[in-house]
PDB file of all heavy atoms in Angstrom:
ATOM      1  N   ALA Z 168      48.771 109.426  49.344  1.00  0.00           N
ATOM      2  CA  ALA Z 168      47.322 109.654  49.317  1.00  0.00           C
ATOM      3  C   ALA Z 168      46.931 110.115  50.758  1.00  0.00           C
ATOM      4  O   ALA Z 168      47.341 109.477  51.702  1.00  0.00           O
ATOM      5  CB  ALA Z 168      46.567 108.407  48.945  1.00  0.00           C
ATOM      6  N   ALA Z 169      46.129 111.165  50.837  1.00  0.00           N
ATOM      7  CA  ALA Z 169      45.925 111.791  52.132  1.00  0.00           C
ATOM      8  C   ALA Z 169      44.451 112.055  52.411  1.00  0.00           C
ATOM      9  O   ALA Z 169      43.652 112.246  51.485  1.00  0.00           O
ATOM     10  CB  ALA Z 169      46.691 113.115  52.186  1.00  0.00           C
ATOM     11  N   ARG Z 170      44.081 112.147  53.693  1.00  0.00           N
ATOM     12  CA  ARG Z 170      42.729 112.437  54.093  1.00  0.00           C
ATOM     13  C   ARG Z 170      42.783 113.410  55.239  1.00  0.00           C
ATOM     14  O   ARG Z 170      43.371 113.134  56.289  1.00  0.00           O
ATOM     15  CB  ARG Z 170      42.012 111.203  54.502  1.00  0.00           C
ATOM     16  CG  ARG Z 170      40.612 111.364  55.052  1.00  0.00           C
ATOM     17  CD  ARG Z 170      40.104 109.977  55.506  1.00  0.00           C
ATOM     18  NE  ARG Z 170      38.764 110.078  56.021  1.00  0.00           N
ATOM     19  CZ  ARG Z 170      38.445 110.197  57.292  1.00  0.00           C
ATOM     20  NH1 ARG Z 170      39.412 110.428  58.171  1.00  0.00           N
ATOM     21  NH2 ARG Z 170      37.201 110.240  57.683  1.00  0.00           N
ATOM     22  N   PHE Z 171      42.184 114.602  55.051  1.00  0.00           N
ATOM     23  CA  PHE Z 171      42.183 115.626  56.106  1.00  0.00           C
ATOM     24  C   PHE Z 171      40.729 115.701  56.635  1.00  0.00           C
ATOM     25  O   PHE Z 171      39.794 115.928  55.903  1.00  0.00           O
ATOM     26  CB  PHE Z 171      42.584 116.965  55.534  1.00  0.00           C
ATOM     27  CG  PHE Z 171      42.511 118.006  56.617  1.00  0.00           C
ATOM     28  CD1 PHE Z 171      43.522 118.144  57.551  1.00  0.00           C
ATOM     29  CD2 PHE Z 171      41.482 118.943  56.607  1.00  0.00           C
ATOM     30  CE1 PHE Z 171      43.430 119.129  58.572  1.00  0.00           C
ATOM     31  CE2 PHE Z 171      41.411 119.938  57.572  1.00  0.00           C
ATOM     32  CZ  PHE Z 171      42.400 120.027  58.547  1.00  0.00           C
ATOM     33  N   GLN Z 172      40.606 115.459  57.939  1.00  0.00           N
ATOM     34  CA  GLN Z 172      39.294 115.545  58.590  1.00  0.00           C
ATOM     35  C   GLN Z 172      39.010 116.973  59.023  1.00  0.00           C
ATOM     36  O   GLN Z 172      39.579 117.474  60.010  1.00  0.00           O
ATOM     37  CB  GLN Z 172      39.222 114.585  59.788  1.00  0.00           C
ATOM     38  CG  GLN Z 172      37.875 114.626  60.518  1.00  0.00           C
ATOM     39  CD  GLN Z 172      36.706 114.227  59.628  1.00  0.00           C
ATOM     40  OE1 GLN Z 172      36.758 113.169  58.985  1.00  0.00           O
ATOM     41  NE2 GLN Z 172      35.700 115.040  59.562  1.00  0.00           N
ATOM     42  N   GLY Z 173      38.101 117.661  58.274  1.00  0.00           N
ATOM     43  CA  GLY Z 173      37.724 118.997  58.650  1.00  0.00           C
ATOM     44  C   GLY Z 173      36.515 119.000  59.572  1.00  0.00           C
ATOM     45  O   GLY Z 173      36.051 117.924  59.990  1.00  0.00           O
ATOM     46  N   PRO Z 174      35.996 120.175  59.884  1.00  0.00           N
ATOM     47  CA  PRO Z 174      34.884 120.246  60.848  1.00  0.00           C
ATOM     48  C   PRO Z 174      33.624 119.529  60.350  1.00  0.00           C
ATOM     49  O   PRO Z 174      32.876 118.983  61.138  1.00  0.00           O
ATOM     50  CB  PRO Z 174      34.623 121.751  60.929  1.00  0.00           C
ATOM     51  CG  PRO Z 174      35.885 122.397  60.565  1.00  0.00           C
ATOM     52  CD  PRO Z 174      36.482 121.522  59.510  1.00  0.00           C
ATOM     53  N   GLN Z 175      33.392 119.504  59.040  1.00  0.00           N
ATOM     54  CA  GLN Z 175      32.191 118.929  58.471  1.00  0.00           C
ATOM     55  C   GLN Z 175      32.425 117.770  57.500  1.00  0.00           C
ATOM     56  O   GLN Z 175      31.537 116.942  57.280  1.00  0.00           O
ATOM     57  CB  GLN Z 175      31.332 120.001  57.804  1.00  0.00           C
ATOM     58  CG  GLN Z 175      30.878 121.102  58.754  1.00  0.00           C
ATOM     59  CD  GLN Z 175      30.084 122.155  58.036  1.00  0.00           C
ATOM     60  OE1 GLN Z 175      30.176 122.330  56.795  1.00  0.00           O
ATOM     61  NE2 GLN Z 175      29.219 122.844  58.756  1.00  0.00           N
ATOM     62  N   LYS Z 176      33.609 117.699  56.913  1.00  0.00           N
ATOM     63  CA  LYS Z 176      33.858 116.665  55.916  1.00  0.00           C
ATOM     64  C   LYS Z 176      35.341 116.257  55.909  1.00  0.00           C
ATOM     65  O   LYS Z 176      36.187 117.013  56.413  1.00  0.00           O
ATOM     66  CB  LYS Z 176      33.395 117.067  54.534  1.00  0.00           C
ATOM     67  CG  LYS Z 176      34.179 118.239  53.970  1.00  0.00           C
ATOM     68  CD  LYS Z 176      33.704 118.577  52.513  1.00  0.00           C
ATOM     69  CE  LYS Z 176      34.540 119.696  51.917  1.00  0.00           C
ATOM     70  NZ  LYS Z 176      34.108 120.014  50.554  1.00  0.00           N
ATOM     71  N   ALA Z 177      35.579 115.104  55.324  1.00  0.00           N
ATOM     72  CA  ALA Z 177      36.955 114.627  55.135  1.00  0.00           C
ATOM     73  C   ALA Z 177      37.334 114.781  53.690  1.00  0.00           C
ATOM     74  O   ALA Z 177      36.591 114.392  52.827  1.00  0.00           O
ATOM     75  CB  ALA Z 177      37.085 113.182  55.566  1.00  0.00           C
ATOM     76  N   THR Z 178      38.508 115.432  53.431  1.00  0.00           N
ATOM     77  CA  THR Z 178      38.973 115.642  52.052  1.00  0.00           C
ATOM     78  C   THR Z 178      40.107 114.680  51.753  1.00  0.00           C
ATOM     79  O   THR Z 178      41.077 114.585  52.507  1.00  0.00           O
ATOM     80  CB  THR Z 178      39.500 117.060  51.903  1.00  0.00           C
ATOM     81  OG1 THR Z 178      38.438 117.995  52.211  1.00  0.00           O
ATOM     82  CG2 THR Z 178      39.986 117.314  50.520  1.00  0.00           C
ATOM     83  N   ALA Z 179      39.977 113.881  50.707  1.00  0.00           N
ATOM     84  CA  ALA Z 179      40.950 112.948  50.309  1.00  0.00           C
ATOM     85  C   ALA Z 179      41.644 113.386  48.988  1.00  0.00           C
ATOM     86  O   ALA Z 179      41.034 114.023  48.168  1.00  0.00           O
ATOM     87  CB  ALA Z 179      40.331 111.548  50.066  1.00  0.00           C
ATOM     88  N   GLY Z 180      42.923 113.105  48.906  1.00  0.00           N
ATOM     89  CA  GLY Z 180      43.698 113.422  47.719  1.00  0.00           C
ATOM     90  C   GLY Z 180      45.159 113.083  47.890  1.00  0.00           C
ATOM     91  O   GLY Z 180      45.476 112.389  48.835  1.00  0.00           O
ATOM     92  N   LEU Z 181      46.026 113.603  47.048  1.00  0.00           N
ATOM     93  CA  LEU Z 181      47.426 113.324  47.165  1.00  0.00           C
ATOM     94  C   LEU Z 181      48.176 114.528  47.705  1.00  0.00           C
ATOM     95  O   LEU Z 181      47.896 115.669  47.336  1.00  0.00           O
ATOM     96  CB  LEU Z 181      47.979 112.922  45.794  1.00  0.00           C
ATOM     97  CG  LEU Z 181      47.341 111.766  45.112  1.00  0.00           C
ATOM     98  CD1 LEU Z 181      47.971 111.578  43.719  1.00  0.00           C
ATOM     99  CD2 LEU Z 181      47.447 110.525  45.919  1.00  0.00           C
ATOM    100  N   ILE Z 182      49.201 114.261  48.592  1.00  0.00           N
ATOM    101  CA  ILE Z 182      50.083 115.320  49.087  1.00  0.00           C
ATOM    102  C   ILE Z 182      51.516 114.856  48.811  1.00  0.00           C
ATOM    103  O   ILE Z 182      51.839 113.670  48.949  1.00  0.00           O
ATOM    104  CB  ILE Z 182      49.895 115.495  50.613  1.00  0.00           C
ATOM    105  CG1 ILE Z 182      48.482 116.023  50.876  1.00  0.00           C
ATOM    106  CG2 ILE Z 182      50.914 116.454  51.167  1.00  0.00           C
ATOM    107  CD1 ILE Z 182      48.149 116.237  52.359  1.00  0.00           C
ATOM    108  N   LYS Z 183      52.381 115.824  48.498  1.00  0.00           N
ATOM    109  CA  LYS Z 183      53.765 115.479  48.254  1.00  0.00           C
ATOM    110  C   LYS Z 183      54.387 114.808  49.494  1.00  0.00           C
ATOM    111  O   LYS Z 183      54.218 115.316  50.572  1.00  0.00           O
ATOM    112  CB  LYS Z 183      54.568 116.710  47.852  1.00  0.00           C
ATOM    113  CG  LYS Z 183      54.244 117.257  46.478  1.00  0.00           C
ATOM    114  CD  LYS Z 183      55.088 118.453  46.152  1.00  0.00           C
ATOM    115  CE  LYS Z 183      54.798 118.964  44.763  1.00  0.00           C
ATOM    116  NZ  LYS Z 183      55.631 120.181  44.430  1.00  0.00           N
ATOM    117  N   ARG Z 184      55.114 113.736  49.258  1.00  0.00           N
ATOM    118  CA  ARG Z 184      55.759 113.044  50.358  1.00  0.00           C
ATOM    119  C   ARG Z 184      56.743 113.893  51.096  1.00  0.00           C
ATOM    120  O   ARG Z 184      56.889 113.865  52.349  1.00  0.00           O
ATOM    121  CB  ARG Z 184      56.443 111.788  49.814  1.00  0.00           C
ATOM    122  CG  ARG Z 184      57.321 110.997  50.846  1.00  0.00           C
ATOM    123  CD  ARG Z 184      56.418 110.379  51.898  1.00  0.00           C
ATOM    124  NE  ARG Z 184      57.177 109.673  52.878  1.00  0.00           N
ATOM    125  CZ  ARG Z 184      57.689 110.178  54.001  1.00  0.00           C
ATOM    126  NH1 ARG Z 184      57.548 111.481  54.269  1.00  0.00           N
ATOM    127  NH2 ARG Z 184      58.382 109.436  54.864  1.00  0.00           N
ATOM    128  N   GLU Z 185      57.419 114.763  50.373  1.00  0.00           N
ATOM    129  CA  GLU Z 185      58.457 115.648  50.955  1.00  0.00           C
ATOM    130  C   GLU Z 185      57.844 116.701  51.880  1.00  0.00           C
ATOM    131  O   GLU Z 185      58.562 117.273  52.663  1.00  0.00           O
ATOM    132  CB  GLU Z 185      59.294 116.302  49.866  1.00  0.00           C
ATOM    133  CG  GLU Z 185      58.470 117.212  48.996  1.00  0.00           C
ATOM    134  CD  GLU Z 185      59.285 117.794  47.801  1.00  0.00           C
ATOM    135  OE1 GLU Z 185      60.307 117.207  47.509  1.00  0.00           O
ATOM    136  OE2 GLU Z 185      58.834 118.784  47.258  1.00  0.00           O
ATOM    137  N   ASP Z 186      56.555 116.905  51.802  1.00  0.00           N
ATOM    138  CA  ASP Z 186      55.873 117.871  52.696  1.00  0.00           C
ATOM    139  C   ASP Z 186      55.447 117.293  54.020  1.00  0.00           C
ATOM    140  O   ASP Z 186      54.926 118.044  54.873  1.00  0.00           O
ATOM    141  CB  ASP Z 186      54.635 118.473  51.998  1.00  0.00           C
ATOM    142  CG  ASP Z 186      54.994 119.335  50.801  1.00  0.00           C
ATOM    143  OD1 ASP Z 186      56.220 119.690  50.692  1.00  0.00           O
ATOM    144  OD2 ASP Z 186      54.151 119.605  49.973  1.00  0.00           O
ATOM    145  N   LEU Z 187      55.664 116.001  54.237  1.00  0.00           N
ATOM    146  CA  LEU Z 187      55.223 115.327  55.463  1.00  0.00           C
ATOM    147  C   LEU Z 187      56.387 114.732  56.208  1.00  0.00           C
ATOM    148  O   LEU Z 187      57.302 114.167  55.637  1.00  0.00           O
ATOM    149  CB  LEU Z 187      54.183 114.232  55.141  1.00  0.00           C
ATOM    150  CG  LEU Z 187      52.886 114.679  54.475  1.00  0.00           C
ATOM    151  CD1 LEU Z 187      52.058 113.470  54.069  1.00  0.00           C
ATOM    152  CD2 LEU Z 187      52.125 115.624  55.360  1.00  0.00           C
ATOM    153  N   ASP Z 188      56.309 114.789  57.517  1.00  0.00           N
ATOM    154  CA  ASP Z 188      57.328 114.187  58.391  1.00  0.00           C
ATOM    155  C   ASP Z 188      56.712 112.947  58.990  1.00  0.00           C
ATOM    156  O   ASP Z 188      55.800 113.009  59.823  1.00  0.00           O
ATOM    157  CB  ASP Z 188      57.749 115.146  59.514  1.00  0.00           C
ATOM    158  CG  ASP Z 188      58.824 114.582  60.418  1.00  0.00           C
ATOM    159  OD1 ASP Z 188      59.448 113.575  59.995  1.00  0.00           O
ATOM    160  OD2 ASP Z 188      59.083 115.175  61.476  1.00  0.00           O
ATOM    161  N   CYS Z 189      57.154 111.775  58.517  1.00  0.00           N
ATOM    162  CA  CYS Z 189      56.569 110.480  58.924  1.00  0.00           C
ATOM    163  C   CYS Z 189      57.620 109.638  59.691  1.00  0.00           C
ATOM    164  O   CYS Z 189      58.555 109.083  59.039  1.00  0.00           O
ATOM    165  CB  CYS Z 189      56.075 109.715  57.727  1.00  0.00           C
ATOM    166  SG  CYS Z 189      54.839 110.609  56.763  1.00  0.00           S
ATOM    167  N   PRO Z 190      57.557 109.539  61.024  1.00  0.00           N
ATOM    168  CA  PRO Z 190      58.478 108.736  61.743  1.00  0.00           C
ATOM    169  C   PRO Z 190      58.268 107.241  61.433  1.00  0.00           C
ATOM    170  O   PRO Z 190      57.211 106.824  61.010  1.00  0.00           O
ATOM    171  CB  PRO Z 190      58.181 109.035  63.215  1.00  0.00           C
ATOM    172  CG  PRO Z 190      56.714 109.405  63.208  1.00  0.00           C
ATOM    173  CD  PRO Z 190      56.530 110.123  61.866  1.00  0.00           C
ATOM    174  N   THR Z 191      59.325 106.440  61.671  1.00  0.00           N
ATOM    175  CA  THR Z 191      59.200 105.012  61.493  1.00  0.00           C
ATOM    176  C   THR Z 191      58.311 104.423  62.591  1.00  0.00           C
ATOM    177  O   THR Z 191      58.182 105.033  63.627  1.00  0.00           O
ATOM    178  CB  THR Z 191      60.592 104.348  61.516  1.00  0.00           C
ATOM    179  OG1 THR Z 191      61.273 104.699  62.765  1.00  0.00           O
ATOM    180  CG2 THR Z 191      61.452 104.840  60.379  1.00  0.00           C
ATOM    181  N   GLU Z 192      57.777 103.250  62.294  1.00  0.00           N
ATOM    182  CA  GLU Z 192      56.930 102.599  63.268  1.00  0.00           C
ATOM    183  C   GLU Z 192      57.656 102.197  64.538  1.00  0.00           C
ATOM    184  O   GLU Z 192      58.749 101.648  64.472  1.00  0.00           O
ATOM    185  CB  GLU Z 192      56.270 101.322  62.644  1.00  0.00           C
ATOM    186  CG  GLU Z 192      55.308 101.615  61.474  1.00  0.00           C
ATOM    187  CD  GLU Z 192      54.669 100.390  60.974  1.00  0.00           C
ATOM    188  OE1 GLU Z 192      54.849  99.330  61.609  1.00  0.00           O
ATOM    189  OE2 GLU Z 192      54.004 100.439  59.938  1.00  0.00           O
ATOM    190  N   GLY Z 193      57.040 102.534  65.689  1.00  0.00           N
ATOM    191  CA  GLY Z 193      57.650 102.085  66.954  1.00  0.00           C
ATOM    192  C   GLY Z 193      58.850 102.936  67.312  1.00  0.00           C
ATOM    193  O   GLY Z 193      59.356 103.761  66.575  1.00  0.00           O
ATOM    194  N   ALA Z 194      59.341 102.782  68.507  1.00  0.00           N
ATOM    195  CA  ALA Z 194      60.485 103.503  68.994  1.00  0.00           C
ATOM    196  C   ALA Z 194      61.743 102.913  68.348  1.00  0.00           C
ATOM    197  O   ALA Z 194      61.847 101.703  68.134  1.00  0.00           O
ATOM    198  CB  ALA Z 194      60.556 103.383  70.513  1.00  0.00           C
ATOM    199  N   PRO Z 195      62.711 103.738  68.106  1.00  0.00           N
ATOM    200  CA  PRO Z 195      63.945 103.233  67.490  1.00  0.00           C
ATOM    201  C   PRO Z 195      64.685 102.305  68.438  1.00  0.00           C
ATOM    202  O   PRO Z 195      64.824 102.577  69.629  1.00  0.00           O
ATOM    203  CB  PRO Z 195      64.782 104.531  67.260  1.00  0.00           C
ATOM    204  CG  PRO Z 195      64.230 105.553  68.183  1.00  0.00           C
ATOM    205  CD  PRO Z 195      62.761 105.245  68.333  1.00  0.00           C
ATOM    206  N   ALA Z 196      65.066 101.174  67.923  1.00  0.00           N
ATOM    207  CA  ALA Z 196      65.785 100.155  68.764  1.00  0.00           C
ATOM    208  C   ALA Z 196      67.286 100.271  68.600  1.00  0.00           C
ATOM    209  O   ALA Z 196      67.767 100.729  67.537  1.00  0.00           O
ATOM    210  CB  ALA Z 196      65.349  98.734  68.324  1.00  0.00           C
ATOM    211  N   ALA Z 197      67.992  99.931  69.607  1.00  0.00           N
ATOM    212  CA  ALA Z 197      69.445  99.979  69.566  1.00  0.00           C
ATOM    213  C   ALA Z 197      69.923  98.989  68.529  1.00  0.00           C
ATOM    214  O   ALA Z 197      69.418  97.886  68.376  1.00  0.00           O
ATOM    215  CB  ALA Z 197      70.013  99.650  70.941  1.00  0.00           C
ATOM    216  N   ALA Z 198      70.942  99.361  67.783  1.00  0.00           N
ATOM    217  CA  ALA Z 198      71.525  98.491  66.762  1.00  0.00           C
ATOM    218  C   ALA Z 198      72.145  97.293  67.412  1.00  0.00           C
ATOM    219  O   ALA Z 198      72.944  97.402  68.370  1.00  0.00           O
ATOM    220  CB  ALA Z 198      72.549  99.234  65.911  1.00  0.00           C
ATOM    221  N   PRO Z 199      71.858  96.070  66.955  1.00  0.00           N
ATOM    222  CA  PRO Z 199      72.433  94.899  67.560  1.00  0.00           C
ATOM    223  C   PRO Z 199      73.949  94.797  67.277  1.00  0.00           C
ATOM    224  O   PRO Z 199      74.392  95.316  66.265  1.00  0.00           O
ATOM    225  CB  PRO Z 199      71.697  93.735  66.860  1.00  0.00           C
ATOM    226  CG  PRO Z 199      71.204  94.307  65.588  1.00  0.00           C
ATOM    227  CD  PRO Z 199      70.915  95.737  65.849  1.00  0.00           C
ATOM    228  N   ALA Z 200      74.661  94.148  68.154  1.00  0.00           N
ATOM    229  CA  ALA Z 200      76.101  94.009  67.979  1.00  0.00           C
ATOM    230  C   ALA Z 200      76.360  93.135  66.768  1.00  0.00           C
ATOM    231  O   ALA Z 200      75.581  92.170  66.487  1.00  0.00           O
ATOM    232  CB  ALA Z 200      76.733  93.364  69.208  1.00  0.00           C
TER     233      ALA Z 200
END
Side-chain angles (χ1 to χ4, degrees):
R170 175 185 182 269
F171 178 77
Q172 179 60 53
Q175 297 180 337
K176 66 178 183 178
T178 300
L181 302 178
I182 295 179
K183 289 182 179 180
R184 174 66 180 89
E185 62 186 19
D186 292 345
L187 298 175
D188 182 13
C189 302
T191 56
E192 295 183 7

